[in-house]
Amino acid sequence: MDRSVVTSTVRTLWDDDIVPSLSQLVAVPAISPAFDPAWEEHGELAAAIEHVRLWIESRSIPGVQLDVVQLAGRTPLLLVDVPASGNSSDDTVLLYGHLDKQPPVGGWGEGLGPWTPVLRDGRLYGRGAADDGYSGYAAIAAIEAVRAAGGAHSRCVVLLETGEESGSPDLPAYLEHLSERLGRVALVVCLDSGGSDYDRMWLTTSLRGLVQVTATVRVLEGGMHSGMASGIVPSSFRIARQLLDRLEDSATGEVLMPEMHVEIPAGRQAEVREAVEAAPGALWGSVPRVGDLRPMSDDEVELALNSGWRPTLSVTGAEGLPLPDDAGNVLRPFTTLVLSFRLPPTANAAVALEAVKQKLTSDVPYGATVELSRVEFADGWNAPELAPWLSATLDDAGKEVFGSPWRTVSLGGSIPFMGLLHEAYPDAQFLVTGAVGPDSNCHVPDEWLHLAHAARVTEAVALVLDAQSRQS
């Protein structure tokens, strides 16, 4: 395969074809179903799929089959089936991405907005540009580059879902529905990740799991004057605070439930040390901290292990607490807190959830009522060991595409699809990567995509597709 042609094809596609279409996709407010209960009525998820479908159709890839698949009551997905080129094996390469988006949120910078695509200094700003609208374009560009350069690829199936930001609740049903059609998946390429800088290719080798519970501590049927009730009725907030002390050491942030802790594999610890050496200061440097805030550790390796392999608790929402301007002298009837635990990749989320329930509902101080709702849990994912051919190809890409060796990252977030696919295809290789960097602002204002880095990632994926075709 002529690698110079791969490079020129990818760069031309990004400049001339992808950026204009991706910019139009940014303008589609395809908010994920968890944040838009009327998503089907609004039709924006369908509009996003149709926009990308029409772009791929215009590429005129020989033999390509495009299908919008939608099971009753579930979010749609786009399936792009590209026949093998110069390869006769029965292997399938599955390339994954998603088209649903996080909510817009306020506070975007001057001249920027969630649905307003803006090109500035090599960046494309707008919701969904980096997370994860570019993925389908990059997958198709990689396939086209292999063909243009005289290379080969196995059958490629591009799967773009529309529920990832909601936890991919519909994917198990779709995997079962499409299992025969997908066939023998030998390689999974996920383009919904990233790394610690834009100087090299980053592979995600693990993802943390999740347990989330909304806990309400209720003491009264209605509020009472604090001067009359305090000292008689226990504060719901104080009880909630006591319950939190069962879950977490407030002085250190250590989660106190052994069900949430695992032994960190030696290999992953070595990868973390290499990653920190490659991008020193990246973890703390990307934090928009205020004042003289200090990190939880001065050791960057410990910070990386905290983020990727240790459990943490975040209180992500609350109810029952009036805004300061509305807060009267009232002993409030209840306090509700949303408790979000990130779990190590190999922890059992169901077991961890039961431990949380037991801690919150057993022997509650003063006999207060504790109600649990909006319960959610998901296992994490630990990647299989890289096959020699894949590791060698990534070494080549590091030298020829990025000019720096590839490194790995243990992400604190989750991509539910990876665990589902690993379970469905235990013998498959996984390449979880992407163009997101530490300051790409995914999920928050001013989200942006590093266009040159996205093109380099695309080029590397093309090299992997060609190398994989020669393994069978």
Side-chain angles (χ1 to χ4, degrees):
M1 184 171 70
D2 189 332
R3 295 194 176 184
S4 65
V5 174
V6 171
T7 300
S8 62
T9 300
V10 166
R11 293 180 181 177
T12 299
L13 276 170
W14 267 96
D15 291 343
D16 297 347
D17 297 286
I18 295 177
V19 171
S21 183
L22 178 56
S23 297
Q24 294 173 349
L25 181 63
V26 165
V28 179
I31 299 173
S32 198
F35 310 101
D36 181 14
W39 62 268
E40 195 159 18
E41 177 185 345
H42 293 156
E44 302 295 357
L45 296 179
I49 279 186
E50 182 64 6
H51 177 79
V52 176
R53 188 193 70 80
L54 288 174
W55 183 85
I56 296 174
E57 187 177 65
S58 73
R59 307 306 306 159
S60 300
I61 301 172
V64 68
Q65 182 177 345
L66 294 98
D67 293 303
V68 178
V69 184
Q70 185 167 16
L71 298 175
R74 300 190 183 276
T75 52
L77 61 81
L78 178 61
L79 204 67
V80 185
D81 198 332
V82 181
S85 173
N87 178 287
S88 59
S89 79
D90 295 328
D91 287 347
T92 296
V93 176
L94 185 60
L95 299 103
Y96 167 83
H98 67 88
L99 297 175
D100 59 312
K101 306 178 184 184
Q102 282 281 316
V105 305
W108 288 67
E110 185 176 355
L112 304 176
W115 320 126
T116 304
V118 174
L119 279 171
R120 184 185 296 172
D121 300 326
R123 303 175 175 188
L124 176 60
Y125 286 85
R127 179 65 81 227
D131 184 21
D132 183 36
Y134 81 95
S135 57
Y137 295 96
I140 294 300
I143 293 169
E144 287 197 37
V146 170
R147 292 179 169 227
H153 64 76
S154 299
R155 174 195 179 218
C156 292
V157 175
V158 182
L159 189 155
L160 303 175
E161 66 153 319
T162 57
E164 193 277 341
E165 301 293 1
S166 301
S168 299
D170 297 333
L171 271 180
Y174 278 116
L175 280 180
E176 181 179 355
H177 178 69
L178 297 169
S179 60
E180 289 188 14
R181 181 167 177 181
L182 292 177
R184 187 177 67 195
V185 175
L187 172 65
V188 176
V189 178
C190 172
L191 293 168
D192 187 26
S193 191
S196 299
D197 61 26
Y198 302 103
D199 298 326
R200 70 198 75 244
M201 188 173 190
W202 292 89
L203 267 64
T204 298
T205 53
S206 65
L207 298 159
R208 284 198 290 184
L210 172 74
V211 164
Q212 185 161 295
V213 174
T214 298
T216 298
V217 177
R218 196 176 299 277
V219 295
L220 294 170
E221 292 184 358
M224 292 182 66
H225 192 299
S226 62
M228 299 174 62
S230 60
I232 299 173
V233 178
S235 160
S236 63
F237 188 88
R238 181 164 64 87
I239 295 172
R241 189 170 61 187
Q242 289 179 267
L243 294 176
L244 289 180
D245 284 342
R246 298 176 177 181
L247 308 175
E248 176 195 52
D249 184 331
S250 60
T252 65
E254 179 186 1
V255 172
L256 300 176
M257 289 169 289
E259 296 86 352
M260 291 190 177
H261 290 265
V262 303
E263 184 175 350
I264 305 173
R268 294 293 183 238
Q269 294 188 53
E271 290 176 352
V272 165
R273 286 191 291 270
E274 290 179 341
V276 168
E277 291 172 2
L283 289 174
W284 186 238
S286 64
V287 175
R289 54 192 179 272
V290 175
D292 296 325
L293 182 71
R294 298 187 302 275
M296 290 179 62
S297 172
D298 292 328
D299 186 332
E300 287 188 84
V301 171
E302 288 301 304
L303 290 180
L305 292 174
N306 285 347
S307 176
W309 276 92
R310 293 186 180 124
T312 56
L313 168 62
S314 300
V315 177
T316 59
E319 189 179 356
L321 297 164
L323 294 174
D325 288 346
D326 299 327
N329 294 321
V330 175
L331 193 147
R332 298 175 298 101
F334 71 93
T335 296
T336 295
L337 300 176
V338 181
L339 309 179
S340 178
F341 293 90
R342 291 294 179 174
L343 306 180
T346 55
N348 187 313
V351 172
L353 173 61
E354 289 306 312
V356 172
K357 289 181 177 179
Q358 193 275 334
K359 293 288 187 182
L360 292 175
T361 59
S362 299
D363 193 23
V364 178
Y366 302 102
T369 297
V370 175
E371 303 161 356
L372 304 183
S373 61
R374 297 181 63 188
V375 174
E376 180 183 351
F377 69 99
D379 286 332
W381 173 75
N382 190 28
E385 185 175 352
L386 291 182
W389 71 264
L390 181 52
S391 181
T393 303
L394 295 175
D395 288 343
D396 289 343
K399 295 174 185 176
E400 300 182 17
V401 179
F402 295 90
S404 297
W406 59 279
R407 287 292 179 259
T408 66
V409 61
S410 297
L411 282 192
S414 60
I415 307 175
F417 193 46
M418 292 303 100
L420 293 171
L421 279 178
H422 197 174
E423 183 178 345
Y425 307 106
D427 297 326
Q429 285 287 289
F430 283 76
L431 177 64
V432 182
T433 188
V436 171
D439 55 349
S440 292
N441 297 326
C442 295
H443 295 203
V444 297
D446 297 353
E447 177 182 337
W448 60 275
L449 175 67
H450 192 300
L451 295 174
H453 191 59
R456 288 191 292 268
V457 170
T458 302
E459 190 175 343
V461 171
L463 299 185
V464 169
L465 293 180
D466 179 68
Q468 187 280 330
S469 74
R470 292 184 260 109
Q471 303 311 307
S472 55

